[in-house]
Structures are given as C-alpha cells and as structure tokens.
C-alpha cells in the first residue's frame, strides 16, 4: 500500500475511532445522559465497535496467522481480552435494560448478578481501554495532528468500500460475537449466579441508602472514568518507555 493510500486509510480510521471514543465516554457516564439515552447509545456503539474491527481486519488476520508460528504479541492477546470484556458489558447491559428494550416490548428480569457483572465489567473495560489507548498512543497522536476536521471529513466515505470488501468477515465477526454472547448469557443460569442472587436478596435491608448531593451524582462518575482510564494509560506508557530504553 502506498504512503498516500495509507494516509487516507489512517484518516478514515481516525474519524471512526474518534467518534467511537466520544460515544464510548458518553456511554460510560450514564448520569450525563440519563438511562434511556445511555442504553440506546450503547446499542448504537456496537456499530463503530464492529467497524473498528473491520477497518483493522488485515491486522487481525496477519497476527492470527502468527498463532501457528508461536509469534504472538501481547497486544494481540490483550485485544482479544478487551473484545470479550466488551461483549460481557454489552450482554449484561441488555439483560438489565430498564428503558430501551422495555420500550419495544422486550423484558428481562433484572437480577443482582447481572447488575454486579455489568458494573464490574464496565469498570474493567475502562481500565483496559486506557491500556489500549496507551499501546497505540503514537499512532493516535500522529493521526489526530494530521486531521483537518472539515476538509478531511470526506475520508469517512471509504468506510462503505471497506465494509463491502470485508462483508464476509463482518458476517463472521457478528456470528462469532452472537455465539459468545449467548454463552455469556447462559452464565446467568448457573449455580454461581443463583447464589449471588440469593445472597443479595437476603442481605437487602429496609433502610434506603442516603443519596449523595445532586452535583456529586454527575461529578463522581466522571472522576471514576477519568481515574480508571488515565492511571492504566499512564502506567502502560511508562512501561513502554522503560522497555524501549532498555532495548536501546
């Protein structure tokens, strides 16, 4: 691929990933939008999520082939873990939906188990996202610097061609995600889940928790996301710099 074509693809990826990141932050802070918008945005988020994977499909295929050569990089394994965590967040979010799915007639029984899994996996995802950003920080900075948000916006159009080129891969990816999602959902029927639900119901008390001050409801989640995102990112960048220094 020529440098010119590489530059165009990078700009396409840049716009897509920027939209993905902004939407992700909004989803991770539901207090800023409300539950209904949070849930609908979560469903919309699946689109740039799968597009992100398809745009990077050649990278995925290339490194998957190295599995047979036993030349696996940490980044490759970590991205698979991040993908699984994303599916756990999505599935758990679906089964505790309070607004989006009920509005179209789909109802799940909200249980303490899935609420716990959703909150824990969402927090884990934020930290992993910080590491993911740190691993690709040089590319992110370089691409953002080259983006002209008005004159370069037409670079988003090649996404259609990329989807057409990898439509089979997209169907495979969606199928794999669906199978894994059903597997995750069935965990809710295990004895482990039932025990957590039973213990949570037994430990409930009649006393309602005192709500924090109104402004804290909006500030604390933002602080949580910032801390969980930035600390792993900073630590990862520091480790990368130390590793590079030793190599040199």
């Amino acid at each position: 691929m020529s440098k010119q074509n590489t530059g165009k693809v990078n700009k396409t990826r840049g716009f897509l990933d920027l939209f993905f990141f902004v939407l992700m932050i909004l989803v991770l802070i539901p207090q800023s939008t409300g539950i209904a918008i949070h849930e609908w945005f979560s469903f919309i988020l699946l689109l740039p999520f799968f597009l992100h994977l398809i745009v990077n499909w050649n990278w995925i295929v290339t490194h998957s082939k190295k599995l047979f050569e036993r030349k696996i990089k940490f980044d490759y394994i970590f991205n698979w873990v991040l993908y699984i965590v994303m599916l756990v967040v999505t599935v758990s979010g679906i089964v505790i939906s309070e607004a989006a799915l009920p509005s179209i007639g789909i109802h799940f029984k909200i249980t303490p188990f899935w609420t716990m899994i959703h909150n824990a996996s969402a927090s884990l995802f934020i930290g992993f996202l910080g590491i993911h950003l740190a691993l690709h920080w040089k590319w992110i900075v370089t691409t953002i610097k080259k983006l002209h948000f008005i004159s370069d916006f037409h670079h988003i159009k090649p996404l259609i061609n990329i989807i057409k080129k990898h439509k089979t891969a997209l169907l495979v990816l969606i199928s794999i995600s669906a199978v894994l999602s059903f597997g995750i959902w069935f965990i809710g029927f295990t004895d482990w889940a039932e025990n957590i639900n039973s213990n949570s119901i037994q430990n409930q008390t009649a006393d309602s928790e005192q709500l924090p001050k109104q402004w804290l409801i909006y500030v604390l989640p933002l602080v949580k996301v910032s801390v969980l995102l930035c600390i792993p990112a900073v630590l990862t960048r520091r480790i990368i710099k130390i590793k590079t220094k030793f190599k040199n």
Side-chain angles (χ1 to χ4, degrees):
M1 185 181 292
S2 65
K3 288 186 178 180
Q4 185 178 5
N5 288 334
T6 301
K8 290 180 179 179
V9 172
N10 283 339
K11 287 185 177 182
T12 301
R13 289 174 59 193
F15 277 114
L16 174 64
D17 290 349
L18 187 60
F19 171 71
F20 186 21
F21 179 74
V22 171
L23 191 58
M24 177 66 71
I25 295 300
L26 289 175
V27 167
L28 291 172
I29 312 175
Q31 293 79 3
S32 63
T33 59
I35 293 298
I37 295 178
H38 161 74
E39 292 182 2
W40 284 115
F41 274 12
S42 298
F43 293 131
I44 295 172
L45 186 67
L46 293 175
L47 177 60
F49 171 63
F50 282 116
L51 288 178
H52 174 80
L53 295 177
I54 289 301
V55 169
N56 293 281
W57 189 251
N58 291 335
W59 185 92
I60 295 172
V61 171
T62 300
H63 284 77
S64 294
K65 289 178 179 178
K66 293 182 180 180
L67 283 172
F68 302 99
E69 302 173 6
R70 297 182 180 180
K71 295 179 180 179
I72 310 170
K73 290 187 176 181
F74 167 78
D75 194 16
Y76 177 79
I77 300 297
F78 177 78
N79 284 337
W80 273 109
V81 174
L82 185 60
Y83 166 71
I84 296 297
V85 173
M86 177 69 175
L87 291 182
V88 174
V89 176
T90 302
V91 172
S92 58
I94 288 174
V95 295
I96 65 170
S97 175
E98 299 176 15
L101 293 184
S103 70
I104 58 175
I106 301 175
H107 299 271
F108 287 98
K109 182 181 178 182
I110 300 176
T111 63
F113 170 76
W114 282 119
T115 301
M116 178 197 74
I117 291 297
H118 186 66
N119 293 335
S121 58
S123 297
L124 185 63
F125 181 83
I126 298 171
F128 281 3
L129 180 61
I131 296 173
H132 182 74
L133 293 174
L135 291 173
H136 301 277
W137 188 247
K138 285 187 177 180
W139 180 88
I140 293 171
V141 172
T142 302
T143 302
I144 293 296
K145 284 181 177 180
K146 292 180 179 180
L147 278 182
H148 298 87
F149 290 95
I150 297 178
S151 60
D152 282 342
F153 192 72
H154 65 279
H155 286 293
I156 202 70
K157 291 181 180 179
L159 271 176
I160 298 175
N161 295 328
I162 293 173
I163 294 172
K164 289 180 179 178
K165 181 180 178 181
H166 297 294
K167 58 184 178 182
T168 302
L170 181 59
L171 290 175
V172 170
L173 186 59
I174 292 175
S175 299
I176 292 173
S177 299
V179 171
L180 292 175
S181 295
F182 275 111
I184 294 167
W185 180 51
F186 279 120
I187 295 175
F189 299 98
T190 61
D191 292 337
W192 175 45
E194 290 300 325
N195 289 334
I196 291 176
N197 290 330
S198 299
N199 292 333
S200 296
I201 293 173
Q202 291 174 3
N203 293 332
Q204 285 180 351
T205 61
D207 298 330
S208 59
E209 296 182 358
Q210 185 178 359
L211 293 175
K213 293 182 179 180
Q214 190 66 26
W215 63 274
L216 284 176
I217 295 176
Y218 300 96
V219 173
L220 290 179
L222 181 60
V223 172
K224 173 188 172 182
V225 170
S226 300
V227 170
L228 290 179
L229 188 69
C230 293
I231 290 181
V234 171
L235 289 176
T236 302
R237 287 303 303 165
R238 178 58 60 183
I239 292 171
I240 291 173
K241 286 183 178 180
I242 293 173
K243 185 179 178 181
T244 304
K245 186 177 181 180
F246 275 105
K247 277 187 176 181
N248 296 334

